[in-house]
């Protein structure tokens, strides 16, 4: 079982606020990912990182940004939240041993 | 990565085996078959994966046909907690695919009492 954590689990904020969604893993995985998922819909990759100081945009365009200063930490930031950012954000890290991804519990964001 | 086709929904009685099919007729020789599931409002959970041999772990069994064009995930004794959306994903190893996981619509499995 993987140890990957996301905080907060739920967040309700007003338009225009800056927010940071936290993701941490204790397994020393180099590869980490952020996905966005609307209720009942598919997951879409929005950012990924293959190691410290490495970040890339994913398949789905996103106004969020990410950073990877430490191996275990991969935060996602929205500079100015809008109602269109309302969604669930899922963080994952990858085990090279068996080449698969482990997901955190997710952050459900609501922007009013 | 190869496209997969899964039924939209399935039902299973509690205690019985749940057999979830997946078609991947365009799978390439180096592509693995992965299964994940997502229980409502939670993050996806890895279940099992395989290349061409059948695989079994504490959660499930994976049966891959000899031509590798389809596979079946088997939950041997389904419980109510197995109710979830099950995703079948075909993906090449990280070295060639960059580890992109493309989740389709999956199969909604409902385990009934």
């Amino acid at each position: 079982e993987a140890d990957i954590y996301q905080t907060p689990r739920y967040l309700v904020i007003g338009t225009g606020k800056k927010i940071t969604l936290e993701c941490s893993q204790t397994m020393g995985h180099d590869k980490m990912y952020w996905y966005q998922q609307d209720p009942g819909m598919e997951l879409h990759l929005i950012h990924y990182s293959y190691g410290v100081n490495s970040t890339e945009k994913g398949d789905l365009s996103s106004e969020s940004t990410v950073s990877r200063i430490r191996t275990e930490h991969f935060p996602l930031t929205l500079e100015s939240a809008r109602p269109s950012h309302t969604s669930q954000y899922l963080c994952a890290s990858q085990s090279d041993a068996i080449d698969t991804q482990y997901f955190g519990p997710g952050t459900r964001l609501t922007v009013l | 990565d190869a496209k997969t086709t899964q039924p939209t929904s399935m039902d299973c009685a509690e205690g019985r085996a749940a057999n979830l099919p997946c078609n991947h007729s365009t799978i390439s020789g180096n592509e693995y078959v992965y299964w994940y599931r997502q229980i409502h409002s939670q993050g996806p959970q890895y279940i099992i994966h395989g290349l061409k041999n059948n695989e079994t772990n504490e959660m499930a069994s994976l049966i891959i046909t000899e031509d590798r064009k389809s596979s079946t995930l088997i939950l041997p004794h389904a419980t109510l907690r197995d109710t979830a959306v099950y995703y079948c994903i075909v993906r090449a190893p990280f070295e060639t695919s960059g580890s992109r996981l493309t989740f389709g619509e999956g199969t909604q499995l409902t385990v009934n009492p």
Side-chain angles (χ1 to χ4, degrees), chain A residues 24-104:
Chain A
S24 296
Q25 49 95 5
T26 59
M27 299 159 290
H29 291 168
D30 286 326
K31 303 178 185 72
M32 297 186 73
Y33 306 82
W34 275 103
Y35 294 83
Q36 185 175 342
Q37 184 181 34
D38 293 327
M41 305 297 286
E42 302 174 18
L43 282 82
H44 295 285
L45 179 68
I46 52 174
H47 296 284
Y48 60 99
S49 168
Y50 291 160
V52 171
N53 294 324
S54 155
T55 61
E56 300 287 346
K57 289 188 178 295
D59 302 322
L60 181 68
S61 175
S62 173
E63 295 168 342
S64 58
T65 59
V66 292
S67 62
R68 190 83 184 280
I69 299 172
R70 303 198 316 266
T71 297
E72 63 272 21
H73 195 213
F74 190 38
L76 180 146
T77 299
L78 281 166
E79 291 293 332
S80 179
R82 295 205 302 271
S84 60
H85 296 140
T86 294
S87 188
Q88 181 170 21
Y89 293 84
L90 292 156
C91 180
S93 73
Q94 173 141 339
S95 164
D96 288 339
I98 60 172
D99 196 21
T100 193
Q101 294 181 18
Y102 296 97
F103 284 79

Side-chain angles (χ1 to χ4, degrees), chain B residues 7-80:
Chain B
T8 301
S9 63
M10 294 182 63
D11 287 282
C12 177
E14 188 177 19
R16 303 297 294 269
N19 299 301
L20 292 95
C22 179
N23 288 323
H24 31 80
S25 59
T26 60
I27 191 169
S28 299
N30 67 338
E31 289 181 319
Y32 286 73
V33 179
Y34 285 78
W35 283 86
Y36 283 76
R37 72 180 182 183
Q38 188 173 24
I39 298 170
H40 182 63
S41 297
Q42 298 181 20
Q45 178 188 23
Y46 165 78
I47 301 172
I48 198 168
H49 76 288
L51 183 62
K52 55 183 178 181
N53 297 320
N54 297 337
E55 302 287 343
T56 295
N57 62 20
E58 65 278 5
M59 290 183 66
S61 294
L62 173 61
I63 308 299
I64 302 174
T65 58
E66 191 169 345
D67 63 8
R68 302 210 321 122
K69 294 184 177 182
S70 66
S71 60
T72 301
L73 178 75
I74 301 173
L75 307 178
H77 305 286
T79 70
L80 299 179

